[in-house]
Structures are given as C-alpha cells and as structure tokens.
Amino acid sequence: MLYYSIHLTNISKVHRKVGMAHWCTVFIKFNKVAIQVCGIVGVVSGKNISEKLLNGLSNLEYRGYDSVGMCFLNNGQLNIKKGVGRLEEVNKRINFLKFKGNAGLGHCRWSTHGGVTEKNAHPHTDCNNRISVVHNGIIENYSELKDELAKKGHKFSSQTDTEIIAHLIEDNLKGNAEEAVSAALSRVEGSYALGILFADEPELLIGAKNESPLIVGIGNNENFIASDVPSILSYTNKIIYLEDKEMVVLTKNRHKVIGIDRKEKKKKIHAINWSAEAAKKGGYKHFMLKEIYEQPSAIADTLNERLRNGSVSFEKEFRIPGDYLKSINRIIFVACGTSWHAALTGEFMIEELARIPVEVEYASEFRYRHPILDKKTLVIAISQSGETADTIAALKEAKKYGVQTLSICNVMGSSITRISDGVIYTRAGPEIGVASTKAFTTQLAVLYLLTILLSKIRKTLNEKQVRDMINGIRKVPLQLQSVLEEDKEILKCAELYYSKLNSIYLGRGVNFPIALEGALKLKEVSYVHAEGYPAAEMKHGPIALIDKSMPVVFIAPHDVYTYKKVLGNIEEVKARGGIIIAIATEGDKEIPKKADHTIFIPKNLYTLSSMLAIVPLQLLAYHIADKLGRDIDKPRNLAKSVVVE
Ligand code: F6R
C-alpha cells in the first residue's frame, strides 16, 4: 500500500495576465482578461541540464500546453529556444536535448485569450539578452513599469508582463545579481513564481515567489526550482517550500533563501517519501484511469492512523479545539466544482448524523453575498489544489468575520491551508488528471471522519453507532476494489452509448451529489452534455427530455427511505423508452429486472454508498471519453486548478 506523508505542494495556478498589449489593455477595461496557467522548472548543475528540463516540463504540462520554451546557459551565453504548441510537437521541431548548458530554465504556458505566439512564449530577456526570466503569475503594475522603463530606453520584444521583469532587473543591475533581483521585485505588484538566469553568472540560478507556487529541490551537485514536486522528483526528494515574498539563490552546491527584503531565512528541508513513479502514469493509458484505480489505496491512506480506539483523531494541523466544535451551531462549506459536490455530501452526513445545520455555498457566490456569520459558525473550505481563487477569496471573506476556518485539502503548504485556522489533509497523493477522481473520494472519506468526530463530541450517536460507522469505512478500500472489477460491464455501456449526445443522472439523498458529480465527469472529459438531478425532480421538467435515445443513469443503492421511490422513477423512464443504467446494491433483485444495465456496488452503510457509487460513474465517463478520442487528462478549456475569479 502506498503511503504519502507529504503531499504535492502548490500544485498549480492560473493567473490573469493583464496587459499583454494595447488591445489587451482595452480588454481589461471590459473586464476580459487573458488567462494563463504556467509551469516552470530551473536547474543549476555540475552536469548537462537539457534532459532534466525536458523531463521536468513533461511532468508540468498539465499546467499549460499552448507553448513551451527553454533557456540554456552555456559559455556565458543564454541560448533560448521556444515555440507554440505542445511540448512533444515543439520538441520535434527544436530537439531540446541537443542543447547544452550547466544551468537552464523551462516553461510551459497556457492561455485562453490570444497572445499564443512564439514571441510571447517564455523565457523572456532584457535588452541585451544577458538576463533570462520565466514567470507564472500576473504583474499588476506592469503598465506603469513598462512606461517607466520605455522612457529610459528599454526595448520590448513581446507583449507579456513577464518581459518587464527582465528589463527591471537589468535596470537595477549594478554588479550584484541577487541585489538587482530583490530591488526589481520590491517594485513589482502582483503574483509571481520566477526563475532567473544571468549570462554573466554561469553558476547562479535565482527563484522568487509571491502568490504563485514555487518549490526548491536540493540535489546532489545540483539544485532545482519548480512549480511542483513531481516535476523534479526523479532527481531529488529534498524539498524546500518557499513562502510568499521569498527568493532562493542557488548554485550547484549551495542554497540560500532570503526575503525580497534580503533578510536571510532559515528553511526546513522536507524529505518527500512518494516516488517519482507515483507522479507518472504507471502503465495506465491516462492519469485519470490510474487515479480512478488508485482510490482504494488513496482512501486507505486517508484513513490510516486516524481511526483509533473507537474514535477519530486528526493530526496537529487540525488545530480546531474540541470545545469549540461542541459550541458551534452551524457549518458553512465553501468550495467549487467537484469539491462543491463533496461538500453537498458532507452536508448530508453531518446534518443526518452529527445534527449540526449545514449550508453549502459556491465559493464564488459566498464572497459577494455579505454572509451572516458569527463566532458559532465554522467555515470549511474544500479544495484539492488549495489554490482555487474563488475558494481562497471565500475563506478570506469568512475570516473578516472572525470565525474559525478549517480546510480539507490535498496539497500540503498550498494557499488555502495557510489561510485557514485548521487543516485536514486528504492523502490522495498527486492528482495529475484534470478531472478530479481520487481527490473527490478522499474528500468524502475525510468528511465521513469529520462526521464521526462531530457526532462523538456532540454525543449525537451512541458507542455502537460510532463503531458501526468506523467498521463501515474500514471496509471501503476493499469494497472499492470489487467495484473496479465491474469495469467490463461499464466499458460495455460506454461502447453502446458513447455516441449519445445527452444523458441524465439521477440520485437521492447522499447520492444526489453523486448524480451531479457523475454528470460533471462526463461533461468534462467527453464533452457530452449531461445533467444531474435529485431523482424525484425528474417529473418537474427533465422528464420531457426522455426518449429512446436518452441514457438515464440511476444511482439507486438500497436505503430505507427512498429506494422504492427511485424504483418508481426507473419505471417512469422505462415507460418513455429511455435507456437505463443503474448503480444498485449487490443482491438487488428488482433493479436488474427494469434496467438495461445494472452495475453492482457492495453493501455498506447508506452514507458510504456515495463513495462506492461514484467510481462506476468515473469509469463510465472515462471510457466514453476514450471511445470518443478525447484528450482525457487535459480536456479542452480546462485547467487543473482555477486561480482566476
Ligand atoms: C472537476 C474539477 C473541478 C475542481 C474545481 C475546484 O473534475 O476538477 O471542478 O473540482 O475547479 O478545484 P479545487 O478542488 O482544486 O479547489
């Protein structure tokens, strides 16, 4: 079984790139801004670095894939090679491996509005090609800086804000590179993760960070900077997490972390104990499939050592005192997308079992709603990446009211975990596929554990009920293994129905959010339109859509309250000729008589059926997308984490 004690840090960010050109300035006035996610990697080494840059970028491509570039520092010259397209295509044209250097930078870029040109691809340089910069972030005062630098005679060759940084460093360079970078950054407003090389300093690599992710890797006779850990994990597992407004000054044998104000910082070096292999596909056709199959171990890891002596205990990061949890009278979840669906499941669990009123808010809506919050409200943010802009903004909004905040997050050290008072980590390990799978089920596992903890503290359940809940979740990893064995039946459904243009997902109670999540998965990876509804809502409108070409997916595990009603809904769809795919509990005799396809999940507590039922729906979405030849790990228009509001 895999055990990840430290998790991907600062996975990814999308940043508004303002002001890439005059036309772009006009866009800003109309609130249309160009958007970028980028990945960066840098290395200074005793050996040639081209392979390390290429390998690093191939692991970072999930962050951006419309242009790539590298800079090789060799014999006092900066050799920059870049192009528009995916790494593989650009590499075919350029063949990055043929270039030599002992220090280098790599960058992959993604943008949604124009500006995808070779000139705008990174790295960028100053007037004399003596300073090279890669950047992920947004320089908010770029326009003033650009005017100021232009007046001094600086000539710009791209439309990016990044180039300003190279010129600003050039402008401040009076012999000492480190001083020039800190002087330049003291003028910069906005977010950045930067890698910087100087032609005249062949042994030096400088990195800097503010609100965009950047980590430092300490290697053997070589040192690295990167947007995330997996991109350099083949070379080192010794990682320093930079904080905002910190710089790192690297040679192949030394590292020094300082503030932008040049005050020296003492930083801990973390030993990461997941392997580089964990961050790769491990023989699966896609990361999404690998991550679906990793769910039994991801959940086992998430439970590991948290279930003890008939109770739940979280690590010290939890930091929310039991007395406070006893006193709260309301919980508000803030989240987006799949994490929002997890929150809806949490609402069901906590209200049903711990008897605390729960509200689930879209983070993007919550922050502008002037929420009514008091000291007895606990605000919980759920986020895989910990970098989603709307969720960060919602948390910040909640904190203005002085309430306690808790985050449920997969990425150690990410922004959300630093902002919130307490943290529970989902231990899903790196999730590379853009569509969230194992992050979701581990979020459900954490929410279930939190429900047990709250129920114990508030004495809403007796010892036996708590024991049953604990026994129930302990069974889940093994049960998931058997759900994965249903894959053949699921593939059959995909083969039969992949050409359908629409579908409906229906579930009730704890499985209503699963209907939403199943539909979202299908939309994201296959681009097939799908809608999720509470099953009983069908008769209030969506039933009009049902005909013989409409697949309807029912999530219908056995429960005491709604099972019979859902059977009725299945009949209604059947009567109208719809195609019925049902998720049912093992041993169910009724559903197979009515459904065209039945996929069985093992018996467990009803609350836990959600964790089992989502897996066939993830697989269904995956196989349909695969049949349609979609770009499953990097679906069009999507980014792994959305750091624009
Ligand atoms: C769906 C998906 C997105 C994210 C959402 C929030 O598969 O991945 O809907 O769930 O963008 O992201 P996090 O959880 O990183 O805050």
Side-chain angles (χ1 to χ4, degrees):
M1 183 174 72
L2 295 169
Y3 179 70
Y4 303 104
S5 68
I6 294 195
H7 298 272
L8 244 185
T9 186
N10 287 342
I11 259 193
S12 69
K13 280 201 163 193
V14 185
H15 280 285
R16 288 179 297 174
K17 294 291 251 188
V18 289
M20 300 177 107
H22 176 66
W23 56 265
C24 207
T25 316
V26 175
F27 268 5
I28 294 157
K29 288 189 185 136
F30 291 94
N31 258 347
K32 282 189 184 172
V33 288
I35 301 171
Q36 270 197 352
V37 191
C38 302
I40 71 178
V41 60
V43 54
V44 52
S45 173
K47 297 185 214 126
N48 185 31
I49 45 77
S50 47
E51 196 189 327
K52 286 164 191 142
L53 293 182
L54 190 62
N55 187 22
L57 281 190
S58 68
N59 285 314
L60 285 168
E61 246 203 319
Y62 72 93
R63 300 174 63 87
Y65 35 90
D66 59 34
S67 38
V68 289
M70 288 188 195
C71 171
F72 305 89
L73 175 48
N74 197 16
N75 289 331
Q77 294 301 320
L78 297 170
N79 193 3
I80 291 178
K81 297 285 155 200
K82 55 189 183 179
V84 169
R86 293 195 165 204
L87 179 62
E88 203 184 328
E89 297 158 33
V90 179
N91 191 36
K92 261 193 201 138
R93 299 198 295 268
I94 291 180
N95 186 9
F96 288 115
L97 289 181
K98 77 175 184 233
F99 296 96
K100 301 252 170 299
N102 280 0
L105 295 169
H107 186 273
C108 54
R109 178 176 187 237
W110 177 81
S111 67
T112 57
H113 293 67
V116 184
T117 63
E118 190 171 316
K119 278 211 154 100
N120 287 340
H122 300 212
H124 293 286
T125 59
D126 64 325
C127 297
N128 298 309
N129 289 330
R130 305 303 290 164
I131 301 169
S132 172
V133 176
V134 288
H135 171 218
N136 167 206
I138 164 176
I139 306 303
E140 281 161 9
N141 60 339
Y142 97 99
S143 188
E144 294 150 53
L145 292 172
K146 187 169 185 176
D147 289 350
E148 184 186 315
L149 289 162
K151 275 189 202 132
K152 290 182 174 176
H154 287 264
K155 297 270 177 289
F156 298 93
S157 47
S158 79
Q159 300 165 324
T160 65
D161 54 347
T162 302
E163 195 189 343
I164 306 322
I165 298 186
H167 290 273
L168 197 59
I169 296 171
E170 178 184 31
D171 208 55
N172 281 280
L173 189 57
K174 299 188 178 69
N176 183 319
E178 188 184 311
E179 274 173 26
V181 173
S182 78
L185 293 182
S186 68
R187 300 282 323 279
V188 167
E189 287 163 24
S191 57
Y192 49 78
L194 292 167
I196 308 157
L197 287 176
F198 294 82
D200 300 315
E201 300 275 3
E203 299 275 305
L204 187 71
L205 166 64
I206 296 184
K209 164 187 160 38
N210 189 43
E211 292 177 15
S212 293
L214 194 71
I215 55 107
V216 181
I218 307 299
N220 186 7
N221 202 29
E222 57 190 5
N223 288 315
F224 300 81
I225 53 169
S227 301
D228 72 15
V229 177
S231 54
I232 56 167
L233 212 47
S234 307
Y235 309 108
T236 179
N237 70 339
K238 293 192 195 118
I239 301 297
I240 296 174
Y241 297 101
L242 291 184
E243 292 295 319
D244 285 347
K245 301 225 157 111
E246 283 183 349
M247 286 167 55
V248 63
V249 182
L250 298 172
T251 64
K252 61 182 195 262
N253 294 316
R254 278 186 299 116
H255 69 271
K256 176 172 81 174
V257 177
I258 54 175
I260 300 302
D261 56 8
R262 307 207 57 234
K263 282 200 187 111
E264 202 139 336
K265 303 273 178 107
K266 275 215 158 63
K267 303 289 285 188
K268 188 170 167 197
I269 301 179
H270 298 263
I272 305 295
N273 67 359
W274 30 266
S275 66
E277 206 37 47
K280 302 217 174 104
K281 284 187 205 151
Y284 288 90
K285 188 169 174 192
H286 295 96
F287 280 113
M288 182 180 177
L289 189 61
K290 173 175 180 265
E291 287 159 8
I292 291 172
Y293 272 82
E294 279 174 352
Q295 289 177 109
S297 68
I299 290 180
D301 289 345
T302 300
L303 303 180
N304 198 9
E305 295 187 348
R306 285 170 166 168
L307 292 171
R308 261 185 261 147
N309 307 326
S311 192
V312 168
S313 64
F314 293 113
E315 302 73 9
K316 62 176 178 0
E317 292 86 1
F318 182 64
R319 288 191 293 259
I320 308 280
D323 283 352
Y324 173 73
L325 289 178
K326 213 170 179 175
S327 72
I328 56 174
N329 58 17
R330 183 178 174 221
I331 290 176
I332 299 183
F333 282 107
V334 291
C336 304
T338 288
S339 298
W340 186 82
H341 296 153
L344 286 178
T345 315
E347 175 186 27
F348 181 94
M349 295 180 194
I350 293 172
E351 287 198 339
E352 171 92 359
L353 301 163
R355 311 301 299 152
I356 306 169
V358 175
E359 288 154 47
V360 179
E361 298 271 0
Y362 285 112
S364 53
E365 290 295 316
F366 176 81
R367 58 171 307 204
Y368 292 115
R369 280 195 25 201
H370 307 290
I372 301 166
L373 300 174
D374 64 29
K375 298 258 159 20
K376 292 199 163 180
T377 307
L378 172 67
V379 173
I380 306 180
I382 307 184
S383 174
Q384 187 286 130
S385 62
E387 301 294 348
T388 300
D390 286 322
T391 313
I392 293 174
L395 257 185
K396 286 185 175 162
E397 179 69 20
K399 283 183 82 79
K400 284 189 199 153
Y401 296 79
V403 299
Q404 289 279 316
T405 55
L406 175 69
S407 60
I408 296 174
C409 189
N410 195 38
V411 180
M412 187 172 265
S414 57
S415 303
I416 282 168
T417 65
R418 293 200 302 268
I419 297 167
S420 45
D421 298 302
V423 187
I424 311 175
Y425 284 105
T426 48
R427 298 173 182 154
E431 191 179 68
I432 308 294
V434 163
S436 217
T437 52
K438 60 178 179 167
F440 178 69
T441 41
T442 54
Q443 286 167 351
L444 298 192
V446 161
L447 287 163
Y448 186 86
L449 295 183
L450 184 64
T451 305
I452 298 177
L453 184 74
L454 292 169
S455 308
K456 279 256 326 178
I457 290 176
R458 301 167 73 96
K459 299 195 170 44
T460 52
L461 298 179
N462 62 36
E463 289 297 321
K464 162 146 189 349
Q465 287 168 312
V466 170
R467 234 185 2 259
D468 288 348
M469 282 187 76
I470 291 179
N471 290 340
I473 186 114
R474 278 196 204 281
K475 286 188 210 151
V476 168
L478 217 57
Q479 291 190 327
L480 277 178
Q481 209 68 59
S482 72
V483 175
L484 290 167
E485 281 157 24
E486 293 281 292
D487 200 10
K488 273 206 189 106
E489 184 62 24
I490 301 165
L491 180 61
K492 201 160 97 194
C493 295
E495 276 164 352
L496 285 169
Y497 307 124
Y498 73 93
S499 59
K500 301 289 177 205
L501 300 177
N502 297 289
S503 58
I504 297 179
Y505 286 66
L506 301 173
R508 295 195 69 159
V510 75
N511 287 308
F512 159 53
I514 299 308
L516 295 179
E517 176 61 9
L520 179 66
K521 287 290 87 91
L522 187 67
K523 282 185 267 207
E524 279 180 303
V525 295
S526 72
Y527 321 147
V528 171
H529 176 242
E531 293 295 338
Y533 281 95
E537 275 294 300
M538 182 181 66
K539 58 186 174 294
H540 298 287
I543 197 163
L545 296 168
I546 312 266
D547 61 17
K548 61 181 182 345
S549 64
M550 176 67 86
V552 183
V553 179
F554 279 94
I555 301 110
H558 217 287
D559 82 302
V560 280
Y561 305 115
T562 57
Y563 172 75
K564 289 229 164 86
K565 312 252 179 222
V566 176
L567 281 186
N569 299 136
I570 294 179
E571 289 290 4
E572 284 157 14
V573 172
K574 201 174 160 68
R576 286 157 184 84
I579 302 155
I580 298 162
I581 302 170
I583 313 291
T585 309
E586 254 165 28
D588 189 316
K589 299 269 186 299
E590 288 305 308
I591 289 183
K593 286 187 210 153
K594 304 177 200 295
D596 297 284
H597 306 272
T598 307
I599 292 145
F600 289 105
I601 57 171
K603 260 195 202 123
N604 204 327
L605 300 177
Y606 176 62
T607 326
L608 289 167
S609 62
S610 54
M611 228 179 281
L612 301 167
I614 187 57
V615 175
L617 305 187
Q618 295 167 343
L619 284 167
L620 184 64
Y622 172 81
H623 289 308
I624 290 176
D626 197 33
K627 294 294 301 169
L628 291 167
R630 305 300 191 217
D631 193 353
I632 293 181
D633 286 330
K634 292 170 192 148
R636 68 184 182 200
N637 310 336
L638 293 176
K640 184 63 187 157
S641 66
V642 182
V643 299
V644 282
E645 294 159 26

